[in-house]
PDB file of all heavy atoms in Angstrom:
ATOM      1  N   LEU A 137      11.495 -14.186  -1.625  1.00 88.00           N
ATOM      2  CA  LEU A 137      11.452 -12.824  -1.809  1.00 88.00           C
ATOM      3  C   LEU A 137      10.730 -12.457  -3.120  1.00 88.00           C
ATOM      4  O   LEU A 137      10.710 -13.268  -4.034  1.00 88.00           O
ATOM      5  CB  LEU A 137      12.873 -12.134  -1.891  1.00 88.00           C
ATOM      6  CG  LEU A 137      13.720 -12.299  -0.680  1.00 88.00           C
ATOM      7  CD1 LEU A 137      15.204 -11.731  -0.962  1.00 88.00           C
ATOM      8  CD2 LEU A 137      13.147 -11.686   0.540  1.00 88.00           C
ATOM      9  N   ASN A 140       9.788  -8.023  -7.617  1.00 88.00           N
ATOM     10  CA  ASN A 140       9.285  -6.792  -8.151  1.00 88.00           C
ATOM     11  C   ASN A 140       9.013  -5.871  -6.956  1.00 88.00           C
ATOM     12  O   ASN A 140       8.504  -4.770  -7.107  1.00 88.00           O
ATOM     13  CB  ASN A 140       7.975  -7.014  -8.846  1.00 88.00           C
ATOM     14  CG  ASN A 140       6.925  -7.651  -8.108  1.00 88.00           C
ATOM     15  OD1 ASN A 140       7.215  -8.427  -7.114  1.00 88.00           O
ATOM     16  ND2 ASN A 140       5.694  -7.495  -8.316  1.00 88.00           N
ATOM     17  N   LEU A 159      -0.399   2.580   4.461  1.00 89.00           N
ATOM     18  CA  LEU A 159       0.854   1.991   4.774  1.00 89.00           C
ATOM     19  C   LEU A 159       1.732   3.124   5.405  1.00 89.00           C
ATOM     20  O   LEU A 159       1.712   4.234   4.934  1.00 89.00           O
ATOM     21  CB  LEU A 159       1.529   1.465   3.475  1.00 89.00           C
ATOM     22  CG  LEU A 159       0.826   0.278   2.989  1.00 89.00           C
ATOM     23  CD1 LEU A 159       1.609  -0.087   1.587  1.00 89.00           C
ATOM     24  CD2 LEU A 159       1.002  -1.026   3.933  1.00 89.00           C
ATOM     25  N   GLU A 161       4.964   4.004   5.377  1.00 87.00           N
ATOM     26  CA  GLU A 161       6.250   3.719   4.663  1.00 87.00           C
ATOM     27  C   GLU A 161       7.430   4.259   5.578  1.00 87.00           C
ATOM     28  O   GLU A 161       8.400   3.564   5.686  1.00 87.00           O
ATOM     29  CB  GLU A 161       6.301   4.356   3.374  1.00 87.00           C
ATOM     30  CG  GLU A 161       5.326   3.697   2.408  1.00 87.00           C
ATOM     31  CD  GLU A 161       5.723   2.326   1.878  1.00 87.00           C
ATOM     32  OE1 GLU A 161       6.752   1.900   2.208  1.00 87.00           O
ATOM     33  OE2 GLU A 161       4.907   1.713   1.117  1.00 87.00           O
ATOM     34  N   GLU A 165      10.546   1.952   6.619  1.00 89.00           N
ATOM     35  CA  GLU A 165      11.925   2.179   6.017  1.00 89.00           C
ATOM     36  C   GLU A 165      12.876   2.343   7.221  1.00 89.00           C
ATOM     37  O   GLU A 165      14.090   1.840   7.089  1.00 89.00           O
ATOM     38  CB  GLU A 165      11.895   3.425   5.172  1.00 89.00           C
ATOM     39  CG  GLU A 165      13.041   3.457   4.262  1.00 89.00           C
ATOM     40  CD  GLU A 165      12.883   4.453   3.073  1.00 89.00           C
ATOM     41  OE1 GLU A 165      11.735   4.623   2.619  1.00 89.00           O
ATOM     42  OE2 GLU A 165      13.880   5.114   2.703  1.00 89.00           O
ATOM     43  N   SER A 188      15.246  -7.582  -7.197  1.00 83.00           N
ATOM     44  CA  SER A 188      15.787  -8.213  -8.422  1.00 83.00           C
ATOM     45  C   SER A 188      17.123  -7.684  -8.818  1.00 83.00           C
ATOM     46  O   SER A 188      17.996  -8.274  -9.490  1.00 83.00           O
ATOM     47  CB  SER A 188      14.813  -7.842  -9.635  1.00 83.00           C
ATOM     48  OG  SER A 188      14.707  -6.569  -9.830  1.00 83.00           O
ATOM     49  N   SER A 189      17.486  -6.374  -8.305  1.00 81.00           N
ATOM     50  CA  SER A 189      18.777  -5.812  -8.689  1.00 81.00           C
ATOM     51  C   SER A 189      19.892  -6.215  -7.762  1.00 81.00           C
ATOM     52  O   SER A 189      20.969  -5.731  -7.881  1.00 81.00           O
ATOM     53  CB  SER A 189      18.703  -4.321  -8.825  1.00 81.00           C
ATOM     54  OG  SER A 189      18.361  -3.778  -7.516  1.00 81.00           O
TER      55      SER A 189
ATOM     56  N   ARG B 459       9.216  12.637   5.377  1.00 86.00           N
ATOM     57  CA  ARG B 459      10.383  11.838   5.101  1.00 86.00           C
ATOM     58  C   ARG B 459      11.681  12.584   5.582  1.00 86.00           C
ATOM     59  O   ARG B 459      12.638  12.040   6.033  1.00 86.00           O
ATOM     60  CB  ARG B 459      10.518  11.406   3.617  1.00 86.00           C
ATOM     61  CG  ARG B 459       9.455  10.333   3.273  1.00 86.00           C
ATOM     62  CD  ARG B 459       9.694   9.973   1.839  1.00 86.00           C
ATOM     63  NE  ARG B 459      10.886   9.215   1.651  1.00 86.00           N
ATOM     64  CZ  ARG B 459      10.977   7.831   1.802  1.00 86.00           C
ATOM     65  NH1 ARG B 459       9.943   7.219   2.216  1.00 86.00           N
ATOM     66  NH2 ARG B 459      12.140   7.342   1.667  1.00 86.00           N
ATOM     67  N   ARG B 526      -0.792   2.520  -1.543  1.00 92.00           N
ATOM     68  CA  ARG B 526      -0.731   2.915  -0.209  1.00 92.00           C
ATOM     69  C   ARG B 526      -1.421   2.082   0.769  1.00 92.00           C
ATOM     70  O   ARG B 526      -1.519   2.265   1.961  1.00 92.00           O
ATOM     71  CB  ARG B 526      -1.415   4.403  -0.095  1.00 92.00           C
ATOM     72  CG  ARG B 526      -0.634   5.435  -0.804  1.00 92.00           C
ATOM     73  CD  ARG B 526       0.435   6.012   0.088  1.00 92.00           C
ATOM     74  NE  ARG B 526       1.380   6.878  -0.637  1.00 92.00           N
ATOM     75  CZ  ARG B 526       2.429   6.385  -1.210  1.00 92.00           C
ATOM     76  NH1 ARG B 526       2.856   5.089  -0.997  1.00 92.00           N
ATOM     77  NH2 ARG B 526       3.194   7.127  -1.900  1.00 92.00           N
ATOM     78  N   ARG B 531      -0.269  -3.753  -1.861  1.00 94.00           N
ATOM     79  CA  ARG B 531       1.137  -4.312  -1.790  1.00 94.00           C
ATOM     80  C   ARG B 531       1.083  -5.856  -1.941  1.00 94.00           C
ATOM     81  O   ARG B 531       1.898  -6.450  -2.609  1.00 94.00           O
ATOM     82  CB  ARG B 531       1.572  -4.036  -0.388  1.00 94.00           C
ATOM     83  CG  ARG B 531       2.990  -4.517   0.057  1.00 94.00           C
ATOM     84  CD  ARG B 531       4.020  -3.838  -0.822  1.00 94.00           C
ATOM     85  NE  ARG B 531       3.914  -2.421  -1.078  1.00 94.00           N
ATOM     86  CZ  ARG B 531       4.306  -1.469  -0.137  1.00 94.00           C
ATOM     87  NH1 ARG B 531       4.829  -1.834   0.989  1.00 94.00           N
ATOM     88  NH2 ARG B 531       4.140  -0.160  -0.411  1.00 94.00           N
ATOM     89  N   GLY B 606       3.076  -8.504 -11.893  1.00 88.00           N
ATOM     90  CA  GLY B 606       3.908  -7.824 -10.969  1.00 88.00           C
ATOM     91  C   GLY B 606       4.314  -6.424 -11.257  1.00 88.00           C
ATOM     92  O   GLY B 606       5.006  -5.785 -10.573  1.00 88.00           O
ATOM     93  N   GLY B 663      20.343  -7.175 -14.492  1.00 53.00           N
ATOM     94  CA  GLY B 663      19.958  -7.623 -13.096  1.00 53.00           C
ATOM     95  C   GLY B 663      19.064  -6.636 -12.406  1.00 53.00           C
ATOM     96  O   GLY B 663      19.144  -6.316 -11.218  1.00 53.00           O
ATOM     97  N   ARG B 665      15.340  -6.497 -12.311  1.00 43.00           N
ATOM     98  CA  ARG B 665      14.146  -7.147 -12.592  1.00 43.00           C
ATOM     99  C   ARG B 665      14.164  -8.041 -13.770  1.00 43.00           C
ATOM    100  O   ARG B 665      14.559  -7.611 -14.900  1.00 43.00           O
ATOM    101  CB  ARG B 665      13.047  -6.162 -12.713  1.00 43.00           C
ATOM    102  CG  ARG B 665      11.697  -6.920 -13.075  1.00 43.00           C
ATOM    103  CD  ARG B 665      10.576  -6.033 -13.330  1.00 43.00           C
ATOM    104  NE  ARG B 665       9.472  -6.804 -13.810  1.00 43.00           N
ATOM    105  CZ  ARG B 665       8.802  -7.673 -13.112  1.00 43.00           C
ATOM    106  NH1 ARG B 665       9.111  -7.891 -11.893  1.00 43.00           N
ATOM    107  NH2 ARG B 665       7.844  -8.393 -13.705  1.00 43.00           N
TER     108      ARG B 665
END
Side-chain angles (χ1 to χ4, degrees):
Chain A
L137 297 177
N140 59 334
L159 292 172
E161 297 283 358
E165 195 165 328
S188 57
S189 65
Chain B
R459 292 182 65 88
R526 293 275 167 266
R531 179 68 41 84
R665 178 184 168 68

